Amino acid sequence: MGASTPASWGWRVWNTLQLAYTVAWTAGCITLALLVLLASGGNRRIPLRMASRLWAPGLLSGAGAKLRVEGLERVDFTQPHVFVANHQSIIDICALFRALPVPLRFVIKQEIAKVPFIGRYARAMGMVFIERGHAREAAERLQGIVTIVRNGASLCAFPEGTRSRDGSVRPFKGGAFQVALQAGVPVVPIAISGSSAVLPASGFKVRPGTIRVRVGTPISTTNLHAGDRHTLARAAHAAVVALMR
C-alpha cells in the first residue's frame, strides 16, 4: 500500500503542469485586464468581461472541464441581481464567470487582498472584501456595494462562507442578502455540481470532468424589509438545495 504506480506519477506530472499553467495564464490575463482598465480610463466593464471570455474559458479548458449551464432563460440579465451559489471548489469562480452573461463583482475573503497580483486585480475590479469572524465589519463593507448594485452592477456571493468538503450546502450567511434588500434587486439561487471532482477543496488535484451550473428562479425582494435578510437567506438556501437534486 502506498507504492507509486505509473498512473499516479502521470497524474502528479499532469497536476504540476496544470499548476504552472494556471499561475502563468492567470498572471497574463490579470496583466492584460489591468492594462485595458488603464487604457479605458477606469471603465471596469471590458476587463470584467475578459474574465468571462478569456481567463475562465482558458482555465476550464486547461483543466479538461466541460461546462453545462441550465436556467439562464429564467433571469432578465438587463437588470442587476445578487447571485448566490453553493461553493465546492475554487474553480466555481471560473464556472460562474463563464456561465453568467454579465460582468460580475464577487464577494471575496479579505485574505485574497494580500495575494500578490490577484489582490491588486480584485481591488481594481471593484470586488467586495469581507473579513471572516467580523460580521459587523463585513456588513459595513457590504453597504458600500449597495449603490453600485442599484446603478446596474450584479453581485455574486458564496454565502456559505467557505468551500464544502462533503458536498452538503451549509446554512447561508446574511450579508449578501442585506445588499439585495437595500438595493431592491432580486436574489438568484445557483447550484453548482461536479466542480469538486474537477478540483477538490483540499490540495491541487485536477481531474477532467463536467461542471453543471443550474440557475434558479429569481427571488423577489419586493415588500421585504431590512430585517428579513435571514428569511431571504433561508429561502435562497432551500432553492439551491432543490436545484442540487
Side-chain angles (χ1 to χ4, degrees):
M1 185 175 179
S4 296
T5 65
S8 66
W9 274 107
W11 281 119
R12 289 181 187 179
V13 171
W14 167 255
N15 286 325
T16 299
L17 293 173
Q18 279 289 328
L19 181 58
Y21 168 77
T22 298
V23 172
W25 181 255
T26 299
C29 288
I30 285 177
T31 299
L32 183 58
L34 291 174
L35 289 174
V36 171
L37 179 68
L38 182 63
S40 64
N43 188 330
R44 291 167 172 158
R45 183 175 181 83
I46 295 177
L48 284 172
R49 294 308 286 152
M50 289 171 61
S52 169
R53 297 176 181 176
L54 181 66
W55 174 72
L59 288 190
L60 290 169
S61 297
K66 296 180 180 180
L67 186 64
R68 299 285 182 264
V69 184
E70 304 170 15
L72 291 179
E73 69 281 357
R74 298 187 178 110
V75 181
D76 177 7
F77 286 101
T78 65
Q79 302 298 318
H81 297 82
V82 172
F83 298 96
V84 294
N86 62 304
H87 198 18
Q88 297 182 347
S89 168
I90 192 67
I91 206 170
D92 292 340
I93 296 173
C94 295
L96 289 172
F97 261 131
R98 185 58 178 157
L100 301 178
V102 289
L104 296 175
R105 287 179 172 84
F106 278 85
V107 178
I108 55 181
K109 299 173 185 176
Q110 180 63 35
E111 300 94 280
I112 301 298
K114 301 176 183 178
V115 178
F117 232 32
I118 295 177
R120 181 179 180 182
Y121 168 82
R123 286 191 297 270
M125 293 301 115
M127 304 300 175
V128 182
F129 293 100
I130 60 171
E131 188 167 355
R132 186 185 297 177
H134 295 74
R136 179 174 296 177
E137 182 178 346
E140 291 173 356
R141 292 190 181 191
L142 283 173
Q143 301 310 309
I145 201 70
V146 170
T147 299
I148 298 175
V149 173
R150 283 175 178 166
N151 290 337
S154 286
L155 184 69
C156 192
F158 299 112
E160 291 172 277
T162 188
R163 284 167 282 174
S164 172
R165 283 167 168 74
D166 60 5
S168 63
V169 184
R170 300 183 181 187
F172 285 175
K173 298 177 181 179
F177 302 97
Q178 188 70 45
V179 171
L181 288 168
Q182 293 190 3
V185 301
V187 170
V188 180
I190 299 176
I192 304 174
S193 59
S195 59
S196 61
V198 174
L199 181 59
S202 300
F204 193 87
K205 298 179 181 179
V206 180
R207 298 292 186 270
T210 298
I211 300 174
R212 288 183 170 82
V213 175
R214 295 185 175 95
V215 181
T217 301
I219 302 172
S220 175
T221 57
T222 303
N223 298 323
L224 295 180
H225 306 285
D228 294 327
R229 67 174 186 167
H230 294 299
T231 300
L232 184 59
R234 287 192 293 270
H237 182 274
V240 170
V241 170
L243 288 167
M244 292 288 287
R245 299 184 186 130

